[in-house]
Amino acid sequence: MTAAKFVTAIREITPDESKFTKMPEGFAQIYLDELFIGNKSILTNVEPENAIIDLTSNYDVSKLTIMIFSFNKSNELKETEPYTFFGRREAFPLAIHKATGEIVEIDWADDERVVSYIAKDQQ
């Protein structure tokens, strides 16, 4: 899936605030904030196979939370020799392994130790 298709899919399933009339005050805004994906005014050209880098570089996903997954701001992408860190799975950093393209969850106390393998690629 490309970044643009992902953004479109999230926006299509995001309900209108008017659907929350029976919820406690403030609930709708909290819920909707976690689904917010903003547009950026300056776009970066990213190869299609780098969907996560495209997503974090060309969209504001700093508030986006999907279950236990969240994203860093694009200016908070941390690079090390083997990894590009782009988000979190609860307390654990998520990274793209540069050599293999795999999405991995890294130990929060040791940024060289893989806790689990999340996906085989960014798609």
Side-chain angles (χ1 to χ4, degrees), residues 6-115:
F6 176 80
V7 169
T8 300
I10 294 295
R11 288 177 176 167
E12 285 177 351
I13 65 167
T14 301
D16 184 82
E17 192 169 355
S18 66
K19 303 289 185 197
F20 296 91
T21 56
K22 296 184 182 191
M23 294 296 189
E25 186 177 332
F27 175 82
Q29 198 54 51
I30 292 168
Y31 182 82
L32 294 173
D33 278 352
E34 290 188 348
L35 292 173
F36 175 77
I37 300 175
N39 293 322
K40 290 189 177 176
S41 57
I42 299 174
L43 300 179
T44 304
N45 190 17
V46 179
E47 296 297 322
E49 65 271 7
N50 294 323
I52 292 173
I53 300 300
D54 186 8
L55 181 66
T56 57
S57 297
N58 292 313
Y59 299 92
D60 176 4
V61 290
S62 61
K63 294 180 181 181
L64 181 62
T65 303
I66 300 172
M67 296 176 66
I68 57 175
F69 295 92
S70 60
F71 295 88
N72 298 347
K73 296 177 184 173
S74 61
N75 60 350
E76 293 177 356
L77 292 179
K78 176 184 165 191
E79 300 254 353
T80 64
E81 181 56 38
Y83 302 110
T84 300
F85 293 86
F86 66 88
R88 299 188 103 44
R89 181 178 177 257
E90 292 182 325
F92 294 95
L94 294 173
I96 302 163
H97 190 280
K98 291 178 182 177
T100 65
E102 293 174 302
I103 306 303
V104 294
E105 178 182 16
I106 302 293
D107 187 334
W108 59 268
D110 177 3
D111 65 3
E112 295 295 320
R113 183 175 166 272
V114 174
V115 174

